[in-house]
Amino acid sequence: MEALHVNPEIKSLTNPSSPGPNVRSVGLLRRRSISFELSISLVLLVFLVEGVLLTLIYHRQADYLYRQLQLKADEYAVNLSETLAVPIWDLDDEQIRRIGDGFVRNDIVTSILIRDIDGNVYYEFSRDTSENPISREVPIVYIGKPIGQVRFALSLDAYRQDLTWLRNTAILLMGVSLVVIVIATGVVLRVLMRKPLAILRQGMDQVARGDYDYRFDEVHHDELADIARRFSKMAEEIREREQSLQKEVAERKRAEDKSRQSEARTLAILDAIPDTMFQFDRDGRFVDLRGESENLAASLDQCIGRKIEHVMPGHISRVFRKQLARTFETRGVMVFEYDLLIEDVIRYYECRLVAVSDDLALGMVRNISEQVTATVEKKRLLDQLQRAQKMEAIGMLAGGVAHDLNNVLSGLVSYPELILMDLPEESPLKKPIRTIQRSGERAANIVQDLLTLARRGVTVAEVLNLNQVIREYLKSPEYNNLRNHHPDFQLETDLADDLLDISGSPVHLSKTVMNLISNAAEATMHAGRIRIETENRYIDSPIKGYDDIEEGDYVVLTVTDNGIGISHEDIDRIFEPFYTKKVMGRSGTGLGMAVVWGTVKDHRGYIDIQSAPEHGTTATIYLPSTKELRMQTRAPEIFDNLIGDGERILVVDDVKEQCEIATGMLTRLGYDVASVSSGEAAVEHVRQQRVDLLVLDMIMDPGIDGLETYQRIINIHPGQRAVITSGFSESHRVHEARRLGAGIYVKKPYRLETIAKAVRDVLNRDSEG
């Protein structure tokens, strides 16, 4: 019998305050069907009675089958005892076996054991079976005397199969009877209830479709007639209320359209804003959230209804709490910034909070990571630029001073060597003169450091292997001297066997290695450790650090110590000239790391320093690798091979002392030497008299410099041979002179062997050519 249905439209009209279709659908789901409940009740009652009866029959039949199996086992026992008596008495094994085989042909027999009174087994059989079989054990008697024993077991499988068939039959009967009962109940209820209710429902449908004048004339049952009268009265009331509701609905629709348009505009504006917007109540609980919730370190579901402390990290939630309290107190806009670690990346945010009522605050969070990163990057680049400008300015100053000092030091380096050649072996003046010479050489080394600082110090560029430079330094007197002053540190090396070659100056690179190891040794305390590593490394994307390392193949030198480390304040100044924590003049000049910086830059390399107080320091140098082939090292030349044969040489230098030194050295070497003090005088001298070689200073003030002098001379005598000298390091004007045909470049101050080799090499090379 179907339930009494009411059209949803009518129900909504009867209840103007109805909240909507969702609530109506819930009401419909809660209605109950009389015909359905009657049908279920009848079916359950009959089904219950039938189930009890079938259960009783099932259990009674099961007991009967089990008793029948027990009787069969007893019958088998008696038959076996009587049948086996004579064969066992006669000891007829064949007969016993036939009796046993015949017995086990029965499928319900699972095992049998036949033996005599002494325990001798005549026949035994067993098959796998279920648990708890029915077993019997009886004696075998002949003429009143026990002569043996038989034991057998019967399987319960057949019994269980009968029970299964019985149970399935009962279930089938219950299913069939259930179908019959349902059909019969439906037919009865249809005749008695559904037809009158269907007439009533049709009338209600007419009213629901707007036919408020409909009369329920076909309803004759008293119970349903009363319902029809009440429904007709309700239809009249609905007609009246519908007219008033139509006006109200029209007004509400216009208001809803305006509200919907306003909400759409507001949502469009909010969606266009890239910020995260949220609302707090006075207790610090998230009320609403819109936008990217990752700006709050939690998802939307994790925020709504939860307090700040449950969503944000502790230190950030305290800031939010403080600013929230202030905005509720002052009703002003609170602006603050914070950062979050999200997926191992630090992101920066700006938050604005304002109280919009006594219990509600509006917040807006904006991701400012790009702006912060750009600001930090700008500051880093400005710092790098300032460092470079500072080093450039100091380098220019150092380069100018070094040039003048080189001219002054020429006498201290060159004259002692000439004097020593003239003194007898037993002369007491040899020792102080050698001391003067060594002092001059040390001063020249300091000047060379200044030139390196000016980034004009790489006078020789050759293909070399950094591992060889390191190994040669570790065998040098300088390293032995360092060991004598710092005997306690432990040195570890890990040099790559397949290290690529680089193009550079072995002298400058050796000094770089020396300075790094010396600084590490002085930083390590008792029993410190220093580790030197080299490796090949390909940089596939630029690395930002103390220096910005560009993409390419590099040879990487790493020097690590476990010493006292460098503070954050000092690490930005370690490459400044004369900046040192040591006692100036006793353990260093303050130029060591500045020379390292200058050398690395001259080799187009990069340097990075990682350090912290009490955690040691790691200095990493990146030098570009080269694919050029290394030249074989020549054996040391015998000094006798450097003696001249009267070749005419013209020394050109604006410093009188330098002219005298060069003239003295070359004269002693067997050359015919003349000297002039300016470029103009050199041009005039060559115009008057040809020379075999020029020893030409590159910088001469006032007047024309070495390059212009050489250009004028080769216009007079093309192919004129020359050796270039200068107190500065090799410059682009030196390169230009060498491109025009000048030979070797020699840096002042030079020793006798140095100028001798340079002059001899140029003369020999040109003569061979």
Side-chain angles (χ1 to χ4, degrees), residues 482-494:
L482 178 67
R483 269 295 188 185
N484 293 333
H485 286 85
H486 305 280
D488 295 332
F489 72 83
Q490 176 185 356
L491 182 67
E492 301 175 0
T493 59
D494 183 10

Side-chain angles (χ1 to χ4, degrees), residues 74-316:
D74 294 338
E75 181 182 350
Y76 284 170
V78 173
N79 290 339
L80 281 173
S81 177
E82 293 175 353
T83 306
L84 291 171
V86 174
I88 290 179
W89 177 260
D90 294 337
L91 302 178
D92 189 353
D93 294 343
E94 181 65 25
Q95 183 62 23
I96 294 173
R97 186 182 62 77
R98 284 197 296 270
I99 294 173
D101 291 342
F103 185 70
V104 300
R105 289 193 186 97
N106 194 335
D107 292 338
I108 65 174
V109 177
T110 61
S111 65
I112 181 172
L113 177 64
I114 303 172
R115 59 187 176 185
D116 60 14
I117 195 65
D118 295 326
N120 297 320
V121 177
Y122 288 98
Y123 186 84
E124 184 176 11
F125 172 79
S126 177
R127 66 162 59 98
D128 294 335
T129 184
S130 58
E131 298 178 357
N132 301 323
I134 297 175
S135 61
R136 293 289 187 272
E137 184 174 347
V138 295
I140 300 172
V141 181
Y142 186 73
I143 315 176
K145 179 181 177 181
I147 61 173
Q149 189 180 47
V150 61
R151 183 174 64 215
F152 64 91
L154 301 181
S155 173
L156 293 177
D157 291 343
Y159 167 71
R160 291 192 180 93
Q161 292 176 358
D162 291 340
L163 291 183
T164 301
W165 178 86
L166 186 61
R167 183 178 63 249
N168 294 339
T169 303
I171 293 173
L172 180 61
L173 289 175
M174 292 181 67
V176 173
S177 61
L178 178 63
V179 173
V180 173
I181 293 170
V182 169
I183 294 174
T185 303
V187 172
V188 172
L189 291 178
R190 180 176 181 82
V191 174
L192 298 178
M193 293 191 63
R194 287 190 178 181
K195 187 174 181 180
L197 288 175
I199 296 173
L200 180 62
R201 184 182 62 190
Q202 291 175 359
M204 292 180 176
D205 291 341
Q206 287 291 107
V207 175
R209 286 192 290 269
D211 187 5
Y212 299 114
D213 297 327
Y214 180 80
R215 296 294 178 262
F216 297 88
D217 297 330
E218 297 182 7
V219 177
H220 303 294
H221 297 79
D222 293 338
E223 296 84 353
L224 298 181
D226 183 61
I227 296 175
R229 284 192 298 270
R230 292 177 180 273
F231 198 83
S232 298
K233 182 178 179 182
M234 181 183 65
E236 291 293 333
E237 296 175 355
I238 290 173
R239 187 192 324 209
E240 296 175 0
R241 296 181 61 182
E242 183 179 10
Q243 295 175 353
S244 62
L245 285 175
Q246 286 177 350
K247 296 180 180 180
E248 184 178 349
V249 167
E251 293 177 359
R252 286 187 179 183
K253 186 176 181 181
R254 287 192 295 270
E256 287 177 359
D257 291 340
K258 292 181 179 180
S259 176
R260 193 177 299 108
Q261 293 173 2
S262 176
E263 182 179 0
R265 286 193 298 269
T266 302
L267 292 177
I269 294 172
L270 293 178
D271 291 337
I273 297 176
D275 304 331
T276 299
M277 304 185 67
F278 54 88
Q279 295 180 16
F280 279 132
D281 62 15
R282 201 173 188 91
D283 295 330
R285 185 179 287 104
F286 285 93
V287 178
D288 192 13
L289 177 65
R290 178 177 293 275
E292 294 293 337
S293 59
E294 67 174 13
N295 295 346
L296 299 173
S299 64
L300 178 62
D301 296 337
Q302 293 174 329
C303 292
I304 301 301
R306 302 182 68 186
K307 291 187 176 181
I308 304 174
E309 293 81 0
H310 301 151
V311 175
M312 307 292 285
H315 66 288
I316 298 178

Side-chain angles (χ1 to χ4, degrees), residues 358-394:
D358 293 337
D359 298 318
L360 192 65
L362 179 65
M364 181 181 294
V365 172
R366 173 172 295 178
N367 190 331
I368 59 172
S369 299
E370 293 185 1
Q371 295 92 315
V372 172
T373 302
T375 302
V376 172
E377 179 68 10
K378 181 180 178 181
K379 183 179 182 303
R380 189 182 69 83
L381 293 176
L382 285 175
D383 291 342
Q384 284 186 357
L385 178 61
Q386 290 174 358
R387 284 198 302 267
Q389 290 174 341
K390 182 190 297 183
M391 296 296 287
E392 185 71 21
I394 296 175

